[in-house]
Structure formats: C-alpha cells, structure tokens
Amino acid sequence: MAKSFQDLDQKLSNLIQERSRITVQSSRMNSKLEKYVLRIITEILAKVGQTRYIEMLYTITKEMSINGVKANQKRVFFEDEGLDIRNAADYEKGISAFKAKFSEKMADEYGKRCLARGISVKLNITYTNEGVVVEVINNTPVIEEEQERMREKMRKAMGYNDIAEFYMDNMDNTEGAGLGIALIMILLKSENIDPHLFRIMTHEHQTVARVEIPFSENYISIRSKELKENNFGNQR
C-alpha cells in the first residue's frame, strides 16, 4: 500500500514537471482533497520560483472550491426538498433550511448525491513563469439574485484591507460565501495584487470563479487579452 502511494506521488510530481496545466475534479471537499491541492500548488510554485505565494494561493483556491462545492450541494438540496430555487418564497425557505441543516455529515452525503447526478467542481491550474491562473468551474449556473449578492459582496470587500474588520461590519448579513469572497480580495490586496484579477462569471450551464496571480510585469491578464481581441475584431 505504501508503495502505491509513493508511485502516485511520483506520478503527480512528474505530471507537474511535464505540464503547464493541472486539472482536478470532485463533488465534495475533504481533508484528503485539500492536502492533494496543497501539494499541487506547492510543487507548481516551487517549479516557477514563487513559493512566497503558496499560503495565499492555497487559501484562495480552497475558498473558491468550497464555495463551488457548496453551491452545487445547495442546488441538489433544493431539488430534493421539492423547492424552486428561482422562486423568491421557495428560495428564502430553502436557504434557511439549508443553513440550519448544514453539517460535515450532510456535506459528505450531498457530495455523494452530486456525484450520482453528474454535478461536480473542476479545478484548473494553468501556469507559466509570468503568472498562474486558478479556475474553479462548477456545472450549475447561479441565479440572478445570487449573482447580485456576490457582486455586492465584491463591491463591499473593495473598501477593506482587513478580514476581521469586514466581518465585524457585516456580521449580521454575511454568509460563508460572502466572507470567502471578501477574504480572497483582501488577501490579493495584501500582496499588492489587483483584486479585479479575481472574478466570478456565470454562464447558462456553469459558474466560473477565477483568480490570476502575476509573477512579473510581463503578465497580461485574461481580461486584457479578451478586450484586446474584441477591439481587434471590431476594427476588422
């Protein structure tokens, strides 16, 4: 058994050395997966000589992953309770019930239910010597009301440099996901990284949380590339 784990460790190390993109997929977040993700981030950042970002990037990646997993599990909870997540009355009723019942045991159970229904979170880490991009993609969309709540949390977090201060000012109306969003943005600001490099995008069938960590002045953000391409396309 020990040898099989050693072989797996070696395969992972070889994969990181050979590739510039690593993907992990799961329907739940547990200690084993957290250790696995930490290992990947540590080896990637050591490879590109940016170990100073290990703790920050791991914390951000973990927060994005937990938020994605929880959002998926919430969807399944609503379905199992016979509630329409797009109906305002059902949404309030469902959110209250979900918060009241949520526990480690429930998270594990709903992780299995998500897996059975093909609902998962995919973690993509892409890197070069100029920077690293972490994307957490969950294959359920976010409803408009939740989008607005996330945007509001992001707007509020822009005005803070300390997570404790944010929590004290918003403790009455901040749920776990809102606190996680604020933590991500405050961590970026603490390293003098533009917090706008953290984005949450929702599409018809999926939600994408993305953070970019530049390592050099030569790094060009994905948004800058997209804007440049759009402008080029409009000029043609």
Side-chain angles (χ1 to χ4, degrees):
M1 181 65 74
K3 188 175 186 302
S4 65
F5 278 120
Q6 287 175 359
D7 291 344
L8 184 63
D9 277 353
Q10 190 56 52
K11 284 179 182 177
L12 177 59
S13 294
N14 292 343
L15 201 64
I16 291 168
Q17 293 305 315
E18 293 166 5
R19 298 187 180 179
S20 59
R21 181 186 178 96
I22 304 294
T23 299
V24 179
Q25 191 163 338
S26 181
S27 294
R28 50 186 162 170
M29 199 74 182
N30 53 31
S31 58
K32 183 186 285 188
L33 184 59
E34 288 175 13
K35 289 177 183 176
Y36 189 66
V37 170
L38 177 59
R39 165 84 184 282
I40 292 170
I41 288 171
T42 300
E43 291 209 20
I44 285 174
L45 294 182
K47 179 182 174 182
V48 295
Q50 298 292 340
T51 54
R52 60 176 288 216
Y53 292 121
I54 289 173
E55 186 176 346
M56 180 192 74
L57 188 57
Y58 170 65
T59 302
I60 289 174
T61 302
K62 182 179 172 182
E63 284 295 333
M64 293 196 302
S65 300
I66 288 172
N67 286 348
V69 165
K70 204 167 179 181
N72 284 348
Q73 292 181 358
K74 185 168 64 180
R75 283 273 174 166
V76 172
F77 178 81
F78 269 73
E79 288 177 10
D80 288 355
E81 295 293 312
L83 298 169
D84 181 1
I85 200 167
R86 296 183 184 279
N87 176 281
D90 278 5
Y91 183 81
E92 291 304 320
K93 181 181 177 183
I95 287 294
S96 296
F98 183 75
K99 288 179 181 178
K101 293 181 181 179
F102 193 80
S103 65
E104 286 296 319
K105 185 178 179 181
M106 178 183 169
D108 192 58
E109 171 61 30
Y110 272 84
K112 293 173 184 175
R113 294 188 191 188
C114 285
L115 182 63
R117 298 181 201 189
I119 297 173
S120 64
V121 164
K122 185 184 288 184
L123 170 62
N124 290 329
I125 305 177
T126 309
Y127 62 97
T128 66
N129 288 325
E130 272 71 52
V132 62
V133 179
V134 177
E135 286 187 329
V136 173
I137 304 163
N138 54 314
N139 56 355
T140 59
V142 173
I143 64 170
E144 192 171 331
E145 184 177 345
E146 289 179 331
Q147 284 184 57
E148 184 50 45
R149 287 184 181 184
M150 286 191 296
R151 283 193 289 264
E152 180 60 26
K153 293 291 190 309
M154 294 175 91
R155 281 194 292 267
K156 280 188 175 181
M158 287 295 287
Y160 289 84
N161 294 307
D162 182 272
I163 191 63
E165 185 183 348
F166 177 89
Y167 178 72
M168 292 303 294
D169 287 352
N170 298 276
M171 61 190 302
D172 292 335
N173 58 6
T174 298
E175 56 180 323
L179 197 61
I181 286 170
L183 175 61
I184 290 168
M185 297 180 73
I186 289 167
L187 283 172
L188 291 174
K189 289 167 78 174
S190 72
E191 289 287 347
N192 295 315
I193 297 170
D194 184 356
H196 290 103
L197 290 176
F198 166 58
R199 299 186 69 203
I200 299 175
M201 298 151 287
T202 185
H203 307 288
E204 187 179 355
H205 300 295
Q206 65 180 21
T207 305
V208 181
R210 182 175 72 207
V211 69
E212 302 174 67
I213 309 295
F215 298 148
S216 78
E217 293 180 357
N218 296 327
Y219 182 79
I220 302 173
S221 73
I222 293 172
R223 186 168 177 79
S224 295
K225 289 176 185 174
E226 290 171 347
L227 289 171
K228 188 175 181 181
E229 287 171 4
N230 288 338
N231 288 336
F232 179 73
N234 291 335
Q235 289 171 6
R236 292 179 64 181

